Amino acid sequence: MADSREDDDLFWVDPVERGILPLNGFHIPRSLKKLVKQDTFTVTYNRCFRDVVAACAAPARGRNTTWISETIEALYTDLHKRGFAHSVECWKDGKLVGGLYGVCLAGAFFGESMFHTVTGASKVALVHLVARLKEGEFKLLDTQFGTDHLAQFGVIEIPRSDYHLRLNNALLATNSDFYRLLDSLSGSDILQLITQTS
């Protein structure tokens, strides 16, 4: 992380309590299920990674600066080019209106940031990500921290030692595949996948 957009210095974060989203404990609020079923957004993967990172780094309500410095943006873009970082994008009327990005290592996905300019877009992106990770047999979805916003989806905070054990287990996974799920599934199909594998 960095202290601001303009900061060139980077630091690692290993909190005492780590936020994770148990893939088999993912909760979708009723209103979000309805939104996903309506296919209000067209959902894509890795179509415009850099745009998603830039949108996540942009100033937002209640936040004038960001931990996503220009250096971090460049590093994550390089990870994307090497196949380790991925984005999920939500589009409406041909415009990018929400999404998220993260890093993928073996059976672990490290969610880095999300954004939306239309209500619900980032939440729909998260639902699609979870379906993709479950179908791809991932072991860990790391959210870094637990927040009130993420708590509605079932995010929990676990001790650092427990997190390290789960991380080591996920890094040993050999059959995880981010691309196993088809890109063109409807919202209803996505919800059914999540329900079937829970």
Side-chain angles (χ1 to χ4, degrees):
M1 297 180 77
D3 283 325
S4 71
R5 179 76 175 152
E6 298 75 27
D7 191 359
D8 289 331
D9 293 328
L10 305 180
F11 58 90
W12 291 100
V13 177
D14 188 18
V16 174
E17 295 284 319
R18 189 80 172 205
I20 65 164
L21 179 48
L23 293 170
N24 287 328
F26 183 59
H27 172 72
I28 309 173
R30 185 177 300 152
S31 60
L32 180 55
K33 282 183 184 176
K34 184 177 178 182
L35 183 61
V36 172
K37 281 183 183 177
Q38 290 171 343
D39 288 318
T40 302
F41 306 108
T42 300
V43 180
T44 60
Y45 304 90
N46 294 322
R47 183 179 290 179
C48 57
F49 181 86
R50 190 152 200 167
D51 292 339
V52 171
V53 177
C56 289
R61 186 175 53 185
R63 172 174 61 78
N64 294 326
T65 189
T66 176
W67 64 270
I68 306 170
S69 67
E70 292 179 11
T71 301
I72 287 175
E73 184 174 346
L75 291 170
Y76 277 88
T77 300
D78 185 55
L79 286 171
H80 173 65
K81 289 176 182 175
R82 295 170 186 257
F84 293 108
H86 302 287
S87 58
V88 182
E89 305 99 9
C90 285
W91 306 81
K92 189 170 185 180
D93 301 325
K95 183 178 179 183
L96 180 66
V97 295
L100 57 82
Y101 77 96
V103 174
C104 193
L105 291 174
F109 189 90
F110 307 88
E112 297 297 333
S113 191
M114 53 176 38
F115 85 98
H116 71 274
T117 58
V118 172
T119 301
S122 61
K123 295 177 183 178
V124 170
L126 179 61
V127 171
H128 280 257
L129 173 69
V130 168
R132 180 163 289 267
L133 297 181
K134 290 182 79 165
E135 186 70 9
E137 298 184 53
F138 280 74
K139 310 296 182 194
L140 178 67
L141 173 49
D142 178 345
T143 65
Q144 300 170 21
F145 301 101
T147 65
D148 291 340
H149 173 69
L150 292 174
Q152 66 185 306
F153 305 111
V155 166
I156 60 172
E157 289 187 320
I158 61 174
R160 179 186 291 150
S161 57
D162 187 10
Y163 170 76
H164 287 175
L165 288 173
R166 291 183 191 219
L167 175 60
N168 288 337
N169 181 52
L171 294 177
L172 293 173
T174 57
N175 57 344
S176 300
D177 183 359
F178 188 81
Y179 295 102
R180 190 170 296 154
L181 188 66
L182 297 174
D183 286 0
S184 57
L185 293 179
S186 70
S188 294
D189 292 334
I190 291 294
L191 290 172
Q192 188 173 15
L193 271 174
I194 290 174
T195 303
Q196 285 177 346
T197 56
S198 289

